[in-house]
Amino acid sequence: MIVMKFGGSSVAGAERIQQVGRIVASRLSQKPAVVLSAMGDTTDHLLEAADRALQEGLVSIETIETPHRETMRALALGAEVQAEAAALLGELKSLLTGISLIRELTGRTRDYLVSFGERLSVRIAAAYFRSINLQARALDSWDIGFISDSQYTAADLEKDSWRLIPQALNPLLAEGILPVITGFIAKDRKGNITTLGRGGSDRSATIIAAAMGAEEAQVWKDVDGILTADPGLVPQARPVELVSYEEAAELAYFGAQVLHPRAMQPCKKTNTPVVVKNSYNPGAPGTRIVPVLNQRAVLVRALTSRRKVTLIDIVSTRMVGQAGFLEGVFSAFARHGISVDMVATSEVSISLSLDVTEGLEALTQDLEKIAKVEIKTNKAIVTLVGDVSRSSEILQQTFGVCAALGVQAQMVSQGASKVNISFIVDDSQAAMAVKALHKHYFETEALASIT
Ligand code: ASP
Ligand code: MG
């Protein structure tokens, strides 16, 4: 079997749902289970409605009701699903009325509230699928074993789910049923609705794929997969065919719009491939995220950059040994709850990069007790993900490109994960560096000789 997950923009409205229907219908032989997000921006609209109820005592579900009704009308769906949707919308309205009266919104209520998005989308999509003769059944995730802890707004599934999910889904698949399952939501043992955190439906899909031992988890988005660079910055960016979990995680961490590392985790555990596909362009191959890449033919697989980075140079003012000095520096960061991205050290100095630009005064005062501190703002991190066992070649070529542009690397680090090389440049030069590096690694004839 396979799991096919469609995000909010892939199910935003009648035409998009029809397209999902075509994509799913073309893959029935692979025994899909479908996982859906809420339609379009429904989750945001639900949270906005809650806010209005909470702050102003206003109860309005129009921004949620209208698009759903419109979609059902445009898909010519029958009375049964319209009644189901009306019941959910009614329940939502009562909940908002409750919030407007007691003027309180706990995490638990918030999760209950946003759950209506996914509960509506699966019912509407499944009804449409049935209208095109697919044997679809809408399922709330708790009906197929999604039991979570009670950490509202950021819940995690309990171990039992791994056993319960196949127990529930296998018989349905055997009957030829197409399960259409809510992403994002679950229930705790007390029966309260929980959510896996914003963007959590990718994780719902990878959990199902992993628990089912699926052939693959397909995550359908509105881009052609993981790209060699941010297309907003580099129009020539193209999809990467194959990446390892580790590489994809590094890319996500350093700013690429990919799957969140947490979303990939369940499939990583079971070595299940995750494929990122484009529902607007289903013919495109997409990106396959796999456990390990045997042929490391490519020197650099993708690059990314992250802006608004701060660089801190700390030089010890005391003749303390390095261990004591590093300990002093890191405990100051820990005390102020500021996490560090990149680090480079020598015996008496240390350079660190942070993704915060403000609120560093207290930290600086603390650090100044043991060191001279210099803060440099308006920096950016450029990250190359690739075959770091050939790091000298990558460094040579990368800094050759940078030197030709007059771009100075102010700090360099090679990730311990051995798949990324990152360096810091002035923010004003980051775009230029990324474009030139993309040209060097992905757009020139040189590529043929590198690979
Ligand atoms: N609908 C939820 C959100 O917007 C979950 C998801 O789309 O993954 O965060
Ligand atoms: Mg969404």
Side-chain angles (χ1 to χ4, degrees), residues 7-9 37-44 118 198-199 201:
S9 80
S37 289
M39 282 173 51
D41 296 327
T42 303
T43 308
D44 290 329
E118 273 71 9
R198 289 305 305 268
S201 52

Side-chain angles (χ1 to χ4, degrees), residues 102-274:
I102 55 172
R103 297 288 176 106
E104 190 182 85
L105 183 59
T106 60
R108 189 175 93 186
T109 308
R110 209 181 122 102
D111 279 356
Y112 173 30
L113 179 114
V114 292
S115 76
F116 288 98
E118 273 71 9
R119 288 153 82 193
L120 285 163
S121 72
V122 294
R123 284 167 175 77
I124 292 172
Y128 170 69
F129 294 164
R130 285 192 294 272
S131 79
I132 56 166
N133 294 322
L134 302 177
Q135 249 199 89
R137 184 178 299 173
L139 294 161
D140 292 320
S141 67
W142 45 83
D143 291 334
I144 62 148
F146 269 61
I147 301 173
S148 77
D149 56 30
S150 302
Q151 271 202 49
Y152 301 109
T153 75
D156 214 343
L157 285 206
E158 301 282 15
K159 278 211 180 67
D160 311 13
S161 296
W162 287 75
R163 181 176 46 81
L164 295 170
I165 291 168
Q167 242 173 45
L169 279 185
N170 278 328
L172 297 178
L173 292 173
E175 266 183 72
I177 289 170
L178 172 68
V180 182
I181 308 156
T182 55
F184 183 45
I185 56 180
K187 263 187 188 172
D188 67 11
R189 291 199 191 280
K190 287 171 271 176
N192 294 313
I193 296 177
T194 60
T195 68
L196 308 184
R198 289 305 305 268
S201 52
D202 285 350
R203 190 167 157 86
S204 305
T206 54
I207 288 169
I208 296 172
M212 292 292 292
E215 254 167 78
E216 63 186 35
Q218 299 177 352
V219 179
W220 292 79
K221 307 215 162 222
D222 52 10
V223 288
D224 276 344
I226 297 177
L227 303 182
T228 49
D230 173 1
L233 203 60
V234 185
Q236 294 85 354
R238 54 182 165 76
V240 183
E241 216 178 301
L242 215 55
V243 290
S244 68
Y245 279 110
E246 244 179 305
E247 290 170 342
E250 292 292 332
L251 285 169
Y253 181 68
F254 285 103
Q257 298 288 320
V258 215
L259 281 187
H260 192 275
R262 236 180 99 72
M264 293 183 282
Q265 222 177 43
C267 281
K268 191 180 171 198
K269 264 196 220 159
T270 52
N271 288 347
T272 311
V274 178

Side-chain angles (χ1 to χ4, degrees), residues 169-406:
L169 279 185
N170 278 328
L172 297 178
L173 292 173
E175 266 183 72
I177 289 170
L178 172 68
V180 182
I181 308 156
T182 55
F184 183 45
I185 56 180
K187 263 187 188 172
D188 67 11
R189 291 199 191 280
K190 287 171 271 176
N192 294 313
I193 296 177
T194 60
T195 68
L196 308 184
R198 289 305 305 268
S201 52
D202 285 350
R203 190 167 157 86
S204 305
T206 54
I207 288 169
I208 296 172
M212 292 292 292
E215 254 167 78
E216 63 186 35
Q218 299 177 352
V219 179
W220 292 79
K221 307 215 162 222
D222 52 10
V223 288
D224 276 344
I226 297 177
L227 303 182
T228 49
D230 173 1
L233 203 60
V234 185
Q236 294 85 354
R238 54 182 165 76
V240 183
E241 216 178 301
L242 215 55
V243 290
S244 68
Y245 279 110
E246 244 179 305
E247 290 170 342
E250 292 292 332
L251 285 169
Y253 181 68
F254 285 103
Q257 298 288 320
V258 215
L259 281 187
H260 192 275
R262 236 180 99 72
M264 293 183 282
Q265 222 177 43
C267 281
K268 191 180 171 198
K269 264 196 220 159
T270 52
N271 288 347
T272 311
V274 178
V275 189
V276 183
K277 298 271 292 175
N278 188 355
S279 70
Y280 290 80
N281 185 16
T287 298
R288 262 186 108 69
I289 307 171
V290 294
V292 257
L293 285 174
N294 307 325
Q295 22 94 259
R296 294 197 139 272
V298 179
L299 193 57
V300 171
R301 209 172 292 285
L303 48 101
T304 176
S305 61
R306 197 165 73 197
R307 304 186 61 178
K308 292 210 182 101
V309 168
T310 302
L311 185 61
I312 306 192
D313 278 332
I314 305 163
V315 182
S316 173
T317 46
R318 296 190 204 159
M319 296 302 288
V320 290
Q322 197 198 32
F325 174 55
L326 288 182
E327 191 192 316
V329 169
F330 282 112
S331 60
F333 277 88
R335 267 199 307 283
H336 294 279
I338 294 174
S339 71
V340 169
D341 289 332
M342 284 168 59
V343 185
T345 72
S346 74
E347 186 69 21
V348 292
S349 80
I350 174 164
S351 301
L352 305 141
S353 81
L354 315 173
D355 63 3
V356 284
T357 50
E358 276 155 42
L360 296 172
E361 300 76 19
L363 168 77
T364 311
Q365 273 175 18
D366 241 16
L367 288 170
E368 277 172 344
K369 291 176 195 152
I370 54 166
K372 205 165 117 322
V373 180
E374 200 181 336
I375 295 194
K376 301 169 178 166
T377 52
N378 296 322
K379 303 294 173 191
I381 296 183
V382 177
T383 298
L384 297 111
V385 165
D387 183 1
V388 176
S389 71
R390 289 161 72 188
S391 62
S392 296
E393 284 165 80
I394 300 178
L395 290 169
Q396 184 196 32
Q397 293 186 25
T398 298
F399 293 130
V401 170
C402 287
L405 293 171

